[in-house]
Amino acid sequence: MKKSMVLLLAMGVLVSLGIGAVHAADYPKRPISFVCPWGAGGGTDACSRIIATLLKQELGVPVSVVNRTGGGGAVGHTAIATGAPDGYTIGMPTVEITMMHWMGLTEVTYKDMVPIALVNADPSGINVRADSPWKTYQDLVDHVRKNPGKVRNSGTGQGGIWHLAMAGWLKGLGLSPDAIKWIPSKGAAPALQDLMAGGIEMSTCSLPEAATLIEAGKVRPLAIMADARDPKFPNTPTLKELGIDWTCAAWRGVAAPKGTPPDIVAVLEKAVAKVHKSDEFIKFMKNSGYGIQWMDAKAFGKFMEKADKDNGEVMKAAGIVK
């Protein structure tokens, strides 16, 4: 009887502590797969690889990047969400996780993942040629109001993040979503080439993407869709300063499949935090022109929830989704 009581008490202690304590004690003990939803050579691939490399140093096991592409990001995000929830499949969700399901590309949402951390964000800019007649943000806004549908903008494909950036900005101005004509492109680089050639008059791509042309004096950033000014471009005001409560950024984070034990998530969150603060990571991101931003697991989860709601509303208002 006494032995039974001791056994029951011992079991009670284990339950109160949670079986996760056992998980944390021996995690990780084998290689981890890090899913990148976008192709090799791109920005998300580069960010995935630097984090995976540094996580290997922190966790003591191989962390291998696996590129799962296709479906406008749907294939890779689905791979993260449907992986085994044991800590050995993690990945890098991007802003598209809060957009794709609204467009009918996938049923997967941020709710199918456990957030670990936000590590990067590159806000949209409002960029024009340096020889443009619009010297200030207000010059451009006044022109658009007087000439609806005449100004052409680009930066991504139809319904992409920089299209969403424009749509939210126009909504904040109280203008129709077609007050500026959207010209789909395969990305910021070709859009900026088109800007230089005169095929479009502006681009809502990020300031880091336009940085080379800005620094060369060929592009003028009129505003940035962020909470604060970019230290590299301190003279560029935020939309909030200009009276428009709208922010929009391409961002990247780290997440695990839904159901991953909290104690394993805590181990990963701590490891990613160390990586994010490391000299190697900071140097890489700055040299590559990527913005450095941090949110822990809890804050990142709330951030995705708000982004999903806001993006859905703007996409519907702009006719990007029906």
Side-chain angles (χ1 to χ4, degrees):
M1 187 72 174
K2 290 183 178 179
K3 288 184 179 180
S4 298
M5 288 297 294
V6 170
L7 180 60
L8 287 171
L9 287 170
M11 290 176 66
V13 170
L14 286 174
V15 170
S16 67
L17 290 174
I19 59 171
V22 177
H23 289 136
D26 61 359
Y27 173 82
K29 58 183 179 182
R30 56 186 173 85
I32 296 171
S33 292
F34 194 103
V35 179
C36 172
W38 302 98
T44 303
D45 178 68
C47 290
S48 294
R49 292 184 185 279
I50 185 64
I51 286 182
T53 297
L54 297 176
L55 275 179
K56 177 182 177 181
Q57 298 175 19
E58 288 296 327
L59 298 173
V61 297
V63 182
S64 303
V65 174
V66 180
N67 297 91
R68 297 292 302 275
T69 62
V75 172
H77 285 89
T78 299
I80 299 171
T82 59
D86 55 8
Y88 292 100
T89 295
I90 59 176
M92 181 163 279
T94 59
V95 62
E96 284 77 14
I97 190 63
T98 63
M99 299 168 62
M100 295 181 297
H101 69 99
W102 293 112
M103 301 173 70
L105 297 176
T106 179
E107 293 183 359
V108 170
T109 75
Y110 73 95
K111 295 179 182 179
D112 298 304
M113 301 179 185
V114 177
I116 294 172
L118 178 72
V119 297
N120 153 262
D122 295 314
S124 171
I126 297 176
N127 305 290
V128 300
R129 279 172 44 151
D131 60 1
S132 164
W134 311 308
K135 305 304 179 186
T136 67
Y137 166 83
Q138 196 58 49
D139 289 342
L140 173 61
V141 171
D142 291 343
H143 181 86
V144 170
R145 289 189 185 280
K146 294 175 183 177
N147 302 275
K150 300 298 183 182
V151 176
R152 296 166 295 180
N153 179 33
S154 189
T156 53
Q158 182 73 17
I161 183 60
W162 303 141
H163 187 186
L164 177 69
M166 181 193 80
W169 168 46
L170 291 175
K171 184 173 181 285
L173 285 170
L175 295 175
S176 165
D178 56 5
I180 294 176
K181 187 175 182 180
W182 179 256
I183 307 297
S185 69
K186 292 185 178 180
L192 289 167
Q193 290 175 359
D194 203 15
L195 179 66
M196 290 296 96
I200 58 175
E201 289 74 41
M202 61 174 291
S203 176
T204 42
C205 69
S206 70
L207 296 192
E209 289 171 318
T212 300
L213 291 171
I214 294 172
E215 291 164 356
K218 296 181 178 180
V219 166
R220 179 188 302 117
L222 300 180
I224 184 172
M225 302 184 193
D227 289 319
R229 296 192 182 198
D230 188 323
K232 288 188 68 176
F233 307 98
N235 295 323
T236 303
T238 67
L239 280 188
K240 287 190 175 182
E241 292 176 60
L242 298 166
I244 303 297
D245 187 17
W246 170 248
T247 60
C248 186
W251 50 258
R252 303 176 176 100
V254 181
K258 183 178 179 180
T260 302
D263 59 311
I264 288 180
V265 173
V267 170
L268 290 166
E269 181 183 15
K270 183 177 180 181
V272 174
K274 288 184 178 180
V275 164
H276 195 267
K277 294 176 183 177
S278 69
D279 292 339
E280 295 95 327
F281 179 78
I282 293 171
K283 181 179 179 181
F284 172 84
M285 296 295 279
K286 286 185 175 180
N287 289 345
S288 301
Y290 302 127
I292 301 173
Q293 187 164 342
W294 173 259
M295 287 186 190
D296 62 18
K298 185 177 181 180
F300 184 32
K302 291 182 178 179
F303 171 81
M304 286 195 288
E305 180 181 12
K306 184 177 187 301
D308 191 89
K309 179 177 179 294
D310 291 348
N311 291 347
E313 289 177 355
V314 171
M315 293 170 80
K316 289 176 183 176
I320 296 173
V321 295
K322 303 301 181 184

